[in-house]
DNA sequence: GCCAACGTTGGC
DNA sequence: GCCAACGTTGGC
């Protein structure tokens, strides 16, 4: 089983939206490095932290579970969708998504500012300069370090 | 709202 | 294949 961190802007789709929906496609990824992870590496049963980006307190707000492995991102085919990409065709899809299901919402935010101060997180792309991955793998040690901070949950 | 960092595009 | 221009991400 693998561990992930997945970013979303709460103004667009936040942890509360996922809690309401239960299960949602994690669509709209338009970065090839991230596409490859979705398509080739994410498996049913993997766990992921839900990260709120581009908001007053960016950070980890909960946990979700991958409940469907990579499949073609339907939003790329829809001209009305904000993530529409005319270069992706159903016969030859360019973009992929997974389905995620809600597991837990933390009582507080495990903020990026706090994560940056933890030596255990120094190797995580999240805290490194210029990182632009909207989905990134975490080591088991990083996952356990964060989830063991139960005072946040 | 600003802007650094980085990815993509397209002319040549 | 180079690289300038442009678009996007996302913290602050």
């Amino acid at each position: 089983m693998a561990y992930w961190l997945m970013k979303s802007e709460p103004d667009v789709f936040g942890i509360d939206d996922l809690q309401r929906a239960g299960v949602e496609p994690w669509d709209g990824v338009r970065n090839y490095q991230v596409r490859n992870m979705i398509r080739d590496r994410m498996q049913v049963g993997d766990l992921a932290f839900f990260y709120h980006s581009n908001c007053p307190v960016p950070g980890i707000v909960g946990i979700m579970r991958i409940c469907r492995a990579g499949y073609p991102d339907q939003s790329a085919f829809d001209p009305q969708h904000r993530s529409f990409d005319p270069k992706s065709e159903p016969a030859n899809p360019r973009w992929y998504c997974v389905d995620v299901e809600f597991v837990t919402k933390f009582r507080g935010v495990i903020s990026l500012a706090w994560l940056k101060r933890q030596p255990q997180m120094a190797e995580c792309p999240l805290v490194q300069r210029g990182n632009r991955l909207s989905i990134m793998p975490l080591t088991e040690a990083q996952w356990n370090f964060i989830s063991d901070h139960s005072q946040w949950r």
Side-chain angles (χ1 to χ4, degrees), chain A residues 19-31:
Chain A
Q19 184 163 23
R20 265 192 298 276
V23 174
E24 274 286 306
W26 196 272
D27 57 14
V29 168
R30 299 292 180 265
N31 171 286

Side-chain angles (χ1 to χ4, degrees), chain A residues 86-99:
Chain A
K87 294 179 209 150
S88 186
E89 297 166 24
N92 185 22
R94 176 173 298 202
W95 304 114
Y96 283 72
C97 62
V98 291
D99 285 355

Side-chain angles (χ1 to χ4, degrees), chain A residues 4-8 26-43 46 48 64 66 69-71 73 94-98 100 125-126 130-137:
Chain A
W4 307 92
L5 182 146
M6 303 170 73
K7 298 180 179 177
S8 182
W26 196 272
D27 57 14
V29 168
R30 299 292 180 265
N31 171 286
Y32 289 105
Q33 201 178 343
V34 176
R35 188 277 310 268
N36 293 346
M37 288 191 284
I38 288 173
R39 193 187 53 189
D40 306 333
R41 294 178 57 189
M42 298 182 91
Q43 297 295 332
D46 288 358
M64 53 197 164
I66 309 306
Y71 64 99
D73 182 341
R94 176 173 298 202
W95 304 114
Y96 283 72
C97 62
V98 291
V100 296
L126 182 70
N131 157 64
R132 301 186 56 185
L133 295 175
S134 64
I135 296 179
M136 68 190 74

Side-chain angles (χ1 to χ4, degrees), chain A residues 1-151:
Chain A
M1 183 177 78
Y3 300 101
W4 307 92
L5 182 146
M6 303 170 73
K7 298 180 179 177
S8 182
E9 303 187 16
D11 288 350
V12 179
F13 184 76
I15 186 82
D16 292 335
D17 298 307
L18 181 60
Q19 184 163 23
R20 265 192 298 276
V23 174
E24 274 286 306
W26 196 272
D27 57 14
V29 168
R30 299 292 180 265
N31 171 286
Y32 289 105
Q33 201 178 343
V34 176
R35 188 277 310 268
N36 293 346
M37 288 191 284
I38 288 173
R39 193 187 53 189
D40 306 333
R41 294 178 57 189
M42 298 182 91
Q43 297 295 332
V44 171
D46 288 358
L47 294 175
F49 288 126
F50 196 128
Y51 178 95
H52 279 178
S53 66
N54 205 11
C55 58
V57 184
I60 295 168
V61 293
I63 294 175
M64 53 197 164
R65 179 180 167 276
I66 309 306
C67 61
R68 182 178 172 185
Y71 64 99
D73 182 341
Q74 303 301 307
S75 72
F77 307 141
D78 177 5
Q80 307 305 316
H81 199 282
R82 77 191 281 270
S83 300
F84 174 61
D85 181 355
K87 294 179 209 150
S88 186
E89 297 166 24
N92 185 22
R94 176 173 298 202
W95 304 114
Y96 283 72
C97 62
V98 291
D99 285 355
V100 296
E101 70 178 355
F102 176 84
V103 174
T104 300
K105 178 186 175 182
F106 296 158
R107 275 191 282 138
V109 180
I110 303 178
S111 72
L112 176 63
W114 183 83
L115 290 165
K116 280 181 167 175
R117 294 197 299 269
Q118 311 310 311
Q120 293 90 337
M121 296 304 295
E123 300 302 315
C124 180
L126 182 70
V127 303
Q128 292 173 353
R129 196 176 66 112
N131 157 64
R132 301 186 56 185
L133 295 175
S134 64
I135 296 179
M136 68 190 74
L138 297 181
T139 66
E140 187 173 17
Q142 288 162 348
W143 177 274
N144 289 336
F145 170 72
I146 294 169
S147 49
D148 283 351
H149 281 260
S150 55
Q151 73 268 24

